Amino acid sequence: MATLTKPQAKSAFTPSLVLLLSMIWALAIAVYSIYLAWRIFNAEAFDVRESLGNTVQYFFGFLSLVPAVLGIFSALGFALLITNPERLNLYQRIADHELPPAQGIDRIPLLGRYVFLGLNYLGTVLSAFYLLHLWDVFIGLDEVAEAIYENRVLLWGLVGAYLLFWLSGKIIRLQRTLELIALAVGSISFILLLLFSGVHEALIYIAGQYDSLIVWIVTAVVIIFGIFTYNALQMGRTFGETPEQSIGWQGWMLVSPNVIGFGLFLAGPLLLSFYLSFTNAKVGQVPKFNGLENYTTIFSLQLREQKPEHQYPIEALDSDYSIVHTYKLGNTRYVLGARDARFWLSLENTLQFCLMLVPLATIPAIGLAVVLNSQLPGVKFYRALYFLPSVAAVVGTALIWRTALYSSQIGYLNYAIEQIINATNAIFGTDIENPQFGWLIDSRLQLFSVVLLTAWQIIGFNTVLFLAGLQGIPNALYEAASVDGASRWQQFRHITLPLLAPTTFFVVVTTIINALQVFNEPYVLYSREQQVPDTVATAVYHLYLKAFQSTSGNELGAASGFGYASAVAWVLFALIFSVTLLQFRVSRSGEER
Amino acid sequence: MQKRTLSQKLSFWAERGLLYTLLTTVALLMLFPLIYMVIASLKTTVDFNSNPRRLLPYTHVTEALAGRQEVPVYEFSVNDEEKRYLISQIDANNSDKSDFAYLGEVADLEAKVKLGSHAEQRRNIDVLGIIPIAYRNEEGQKIRIEDQTLTLIPTENIVQLAGNNSIFENFRVYDVFIDGELVQTWLDSIDQPVPLKAYMLPTIAEAGEELTIKVSEPITLLDARDSDRDYDSVIVSSPTQETTLVWAYNASIDVFLDQENPQNVIYAIESFVKPVEVIEFQFSNYEAVLGLADEPSLRMDRALVNTAFVTILVTIGQITTSLFGGYAFSRMRFRGRDTLFLVYLGSIMVPFVVLIVPIYRLMTALGWEDHLVSLIVPWIFTAYGTFLIRQFFITIPKELEEAALLDGCGRLRILWRIFIPLSTPALATHAIFTFLYAWNSFLWPLIIINTGNKEDQVLTLALITLGNINADKPNIVMTGAAVMILPPMIVFILAQRYFIEGIATSGLKG
């Protein structure tokens, strides 16, 4: 079938010429990468902006040798084909299903082609990326935003178009007309936006970049890479590729954006972070490998007894330790010290935060979910209402809570408490005094205030998760129970709670994982102060200070900078990861049962 | 039978009513901060700080006497009749005002100060008397009575003064002797000079008796927190008795003019007088924040455009990459697919905390720090979204696709023509998640964008700055918060059907 329908592809080049060119190009890539590796190995300052140290330099040196090996390999594959034209013929017949595929195919040319394809594809992407960089497109996004801002009136056109579209879905009768109007309004304002925001200026600017040679070279390289990629894609028949194999590279092409992104913004950074955590990297300093020093600094804890000759507890500790806590057992006082005392204090805060947040964010959510889990009209509306706080930005809500609720003079929280107390006093004749809580000022309340805000934000989200869990509980169980005369509470206690356990576990774990990374809430609530108070400083906040604010006097005995912060991050990662693993274990064992 | 159905019906409706009441109450409590944000964003600053608290936005009515500037209107009850008065001066910084003081009895004040917060108690101090502590004499010189003995002779004249809650009290008018000399004095904040001598409670002296007021040593009082403060004291003596009074409260006395008859003047302290207010929504707050008014320190419009720009690009980017990835992972067979998928899935577990430092370094290496691109490009690749889309694509029957493949459709065409239209709910969920995530993101912009860089601010950063710089304008802060919070809320409300179901089925968060 396929042979009949598919006409023989006539190419301007004979296959062998294309193969020869490809081979030369593969060798060129190999030579250039060897040259690049040599340059990297001999470079004095590897990175112009901030050196990352010799290790990274060598890593990149070896990395750029990889394309050299691959290039030589694919060139070898091409060479094999060129020197043996009979193979070409054989492959074409396999591709046309005249011969079974398994016979007589050398793996080297076929693999070589894939390697060549991959190399050229990556080459196209990377050089195009570099070209865009040379064109200043990435930085130029600022200008685009600026231009949109200057012509922001036109944005209303887009908003109007969107609303019209939305409306057209509601009014069936006018759907067609409304859609047309919306399309017209949208496209006109978009075109005007493009016109006014200076597309032509941008093009002129890019053309202006071509006064330097490097831009020309990179453009040429992009084009050559592109041509060879396209060509390698079309060469399937030459190499006797079966449709299954063709699907293979198509699949890789489709996931390639994800893979590249994964490498650039996840795997690569993860490696870098791991490396940095073993160095003393700091701003304006070439990182030096310092082994486990960062980690030992973090984990340096000391429990000492305060002897009578020590006037202050701190004297019981070694000189570079500071106090985390003091304990009193009988008549002796013990001092717990650490080299990075603030890390331990912030970790303690974070754990306390988790402990308080989990019940506050799950128990009301279960209650709400149980109430919402009915077929009554309007329940979906309430479900959406309860979800609204989860949609709002923490920065906004924290500011609202700070000014409108937590303020001790004009805050509604204290106002409500005052009203309740007054009412109680009036009704029962009691004499309770108004406590006038200082929600954000009182050091005993500060952490709780942060928890309250966070719980308020995630209750709606947890409710939706619980609702999903509740919908999985068969109704027949409740019916049977009510026939047996079980009360509502008994039903809840003996049916709902046990059957909801997996969901509860999931919700609790998710809440914990998010709580371990809490940063925004304390930061925004205390953004008016110089620093977040010690009672609410969380682990991520500590990391933030160590990495980015290391000059602002948060030293307290321990190291700081990117290296140390990376080590802190990995310790946190380990903590979070163990919680995640626990969840995986439990949910898997649940499935097996 | 009939009766039973009725009681059943009753209990049915009672239960429903109870349920809805409960749901509504909880919803109101939960949404209170957001509702209050919207209301407060329409208030004036004065109204925001008003005591007692009130929800609706009130605005002080202003009116103008013929040919004059508009001034706030106040309400007094004169002879049990509500009357409107205009304040004669609205500029609080005007130094032309005279200083006045409240006087209280020592023991009385001491008791009150000890009870609790001083600020609270100040308001409730009973006015024993109000005397001017500064005069202007005929030559226009200011005379202060500190260190001087003031001699007052009560006259037959009585003046009405507004005390707390605009209730009038009668005060006797005195002739004033300073160091034995009768001084003609004026209050200088009045439009036309009205000779006001001085006034004291009539109980201290009868008409015609001579009164002396002498500034004496400061008296120290302890308040509830045991911190002490010195209060200036004054000894007032008449022929029959001598009382020590304390300067409890320093304030400026304002002059109020009758709207109908401007010659009719009332003296009172502005904060004690009931203002005439109407409910009015201050849309000008939004104008200020959105840059329509000329107030550069309040504007957030640039940040709004930047945020929208970044959010839309990130959303489009994430949708695109996860569509491709999801399609490949669900429908294409290629070597290493399952391993790759597992690794990719595992990367969801990597918390952002570990990536902060290295991505920051990557951005500085690329020269992207402090630019919008650093908020976009690193965030358009998403393992979570790819996973979500893949899970949805798996449920789409294979037959649809096979038919199209036989017809010679390309993969991208199949994706565009078949998969995208069929997966609207999943796409909507993913798009809204991304939208919210990008719109609300804070830690990353905080690290990568400089505070001083107004060009590349996003809303979260701009709002923090607004909240810190304009802490004295909480209503504007609320407006900023509304500008930040309302757009994603509208998006959510428009698409919440897909969204909530999406969370419920995927059970994961973004």
Side-chain angles (χ1 to χ4, degrees), chain A residues 47 49-52 107 129 133 138-139 141-142 144-146 148-149 152 155 162 166 244 247-248 250-252 254-255 257-259 261-262 264-266 269-270 272-273 276 281 368 371-372 374 376-377 380 382-389 391-393 395-397 399-405 410 412 415 456 459-461 464-465 468 488 506 510 514 517 519-520 523-524 527-528 540 543-544 547-548 562 565-566 569-570 572-573 576-577 580 584, chain B residues 15-16 19-20 22-24 26-27 30-34 36-37 48-49 53-55 299 301-302 305-306 309 321 324-325 327-329 332-335 340 343-344 347 349-373 376-378 381-382 386 411-412 433 436 440 442-443 446-447 455-456 460 463-464 467-468 471 474 477-478 481 484-485 488-489 492-494 496 499-501 503-504 507-509:
Chain A
D47 186 346
R49 283 160 190 277
E50 262 174 42
S51 174
L52 287 170
R107 294 195 70 81
F129 185 82
H133 179 74
F138 296 117
I139 306 296
L141 285 176
D142 288 1
V144 179
E146 166 110 46
I148 294 176
Y149 172 71
R152 56 193 174 280
L155 289 180
Y162 175 76
W166 179 76
E244 290 76 35
I247 289 178
Q250 284 176 10
W252 273 101
L254 280 176
V255 282
N258 281 299
V259 172
F262 175 81
L264 266 179
F265 298 112
L266 206 124
L270 210 58
L272 180 61
S273 165
L276 283 177
L368 278 179
V371 176
L372 281 178
S374 68
L376 291 181
K380 283 192 174 168
Y382 283 105
R383 191 180 63 175
L385 277 190
Y386 294 147
F387 198 83
L388 279 180
V391 173
V395 177
T397 54
L399 281 180
I400 299 171
W401 279 64
R402 185 174 87 185
T403 32
L405 288 147
I410 59 164
Y412 267 94
Y415 181 71
W456 170 75
I459 278 178
F461 185 82
V464 171
L465 292 184
R488 285 260 167 105
F506 177 77
T510 328
N514 289 327
Q517 300 176 61
F519 172 83
N520 295 2
Y523 185 91
V524 181
S527 58
R528 252 183 311 183
V540 178
L543 187 149
Y544 167 77
F548 301 102
F562 291 127
S566 299
W570 276 86
L572 269 179
F573 183 21
I576 295 166
F577 197 72
T580 321
F584 259 62
Chain B
E15 199 186 308
R16 272 204 171 182
L19 190 73
Y20 281 121
L22 183 74
L23 285 176
T24 313
V26 174
M30 267 192 82
L31 295 185
F32 176 77
L34 300 178
Y36 186 70
M37 168 195 81
F48 188 96
N49 293 320
R53 315 288 290 139
R54 53 194 181 189
L55 273 181
R299 310 178 71 138
D301 50 344
R302 183 67 207 269
V305 169
N306 281 346
F309 181 68
T321 57
F324 287 154
Y327 181 76
F329 278 130
M332 314 282 276
R333 284 199 171 276
F334 54 92
R335 194 178 294 175
L340 185 67
V343 171
Y344 211 49
S347 74
M349 285 189 268
V350 176
F352 176 53
V353 188
V354 214
L355 300 176
I356 298 175
V357 169
I359 296 189
Y360 176 80
R361 295 305 297 259
L362 183 65
M363 293 296 112
T364 46
L366 290 171
W368 286 0
E369 83 275 22
D370 221 6
H371 290 288
L372 286 182
V373 63
I376 301 167
V377 175
F381 307 101
T382 156
T386 309
R411 293 281 174 180
L412 290 181
F433 256 136
L436 292 178
N440 295 344
F442 172 60
L443 177 54
L446 177 72
I447 290 167
E455 307 280 284
D456 295 319
T460 36
L463 185 57
I464 291 259
N468 293 343
V477 178
M478 291 296 114
M484 161 108 246
I485 286 175
M489 244 170 221
F492 165 74
I493 289 168
L494 288 182
Q496 58 95 10
F499 185 50
I500 288 187
E501 244 112 79
I503 303 165
L508 274 171
K509 76 161 298 241

Side-chain angles (χ1 to χ4, degrees), chain A residues 260-445:
Chain A
I260 292 171
F262 175 81
L264 266 179
F265 298 112
L266 206 124
L270 210 58
L271 265 181
L272 180 61
S273 165
F274 193 65
Y275 157 71
L276 283 177
S277 76
F278 295 103
T279 66
N280 61 354
K282 244 182 204 167
V283 176
Q285 167 178 322
V286 178
K288 265 207 202 104
F289 198 69
N290 64 0
L292 286 170
E293 202 183 303
N294 290 332
Y295 290 96
T296 47
T297 308
I298 295 173
F299 286 109
S300 291
L301 279 169
Q302 239 178 20
L303 187 66
R304 292 277 172 85
E305 188 187 330
Q306 188 184 353
K307 300 212 174 67
E309 70 262 26
H310 298 137
Q311 196 184 351
Y312 299 108
I314 188 129
E315 287 170 24
L317 302 170
D318 287 349
S319 61
D320 56 344
Y321 282 66
S322 24
I323 303 172
V324 181
H325 275 302
T326 55
Y327 306 97
K328 219 170 175 179
L329 260 179
N331 277 331
T332 46
R333 186 194 278 269
Y334 293 94
V335 186
L336 180 67
R339 277 171 70 188
D340 188 359
R342 268 173 204 257
F343 170 75
W344 291 99
L345 286 171
S346 68
L347 195 65
E348 191 190 325
N349 286 340
T350 312
L351 295 179
Q352 276 184 9
F353 181 84
C354 287
L355 273 182
M356 286 195 271
L357 181 68
V358 166
L360 272 177
T362 48
I363 295 172
I366 292 184
L368 278 179
V370 168
V371 176
L372 281 178
N373 187 31
S374 68
Q375 300 301 314
L376 291 181
V379 157
K380 283 192 174 168
F381 169 72
Y382 283 105
R383 191 180 63 175
L385 277 190
Y386 294 147
F387 198 83
L388 279 180
S390 306
V391 173
V394 174
V395 177
T397 54
L399 281 180
I400 299 171
W401 279 64
R402 185 174 87 185
T403 32
L405 288 147
Y406 280 151
S407 159
S408 43
Q409 282 104 38
I410 59 164
Y412 267 94
L413 224 48
N414 273 352
Y415 181 71
I417 291 171
E418 193 187 326
Q419 297 302 315
I420 293 170
I421 287 176
N422 287 348
T424 327
N425 286 348
I427 296 168
F428 302 107
T430 48
D431 196 23
I432 309 168
E433 255 186 61
N434 183 7
Q436 280 277 345
F437 292 121
W439 293 98
L440 296 178
I441 308 158
D442 190 338
S443 61
R444 291 161 300 173
L445 268 177

Side-chain angles (χ1 to χ4, degrees), chain A residues 6 71 84 92 133 145 232 284 331 361 424 465 477 491 493 511 526:
Chain A
K6 242 181 212 167
N84 195 350
Q92 288 211 356
H133 179 74
N331 277 331
T424 327
L465 292 184
L477 284 176
Q491 286 180 23
R493 175 73 192 75
T511 309
Y526 292 99

Side-chain angles (χ1 to χ4, degrees), chain B residues 25 36 92 106 129 242 246 331 346 352 356 388 401 432 464-465:
Chain B
T25 319
Y36 186 70
V106 182
E242 191 177 273
V246 187
R331 283 300 153 87
F352 176 53
I356 298 175
L388 193 84
E401 189 189 5
I432 298 169
I464 291 259
T465 317

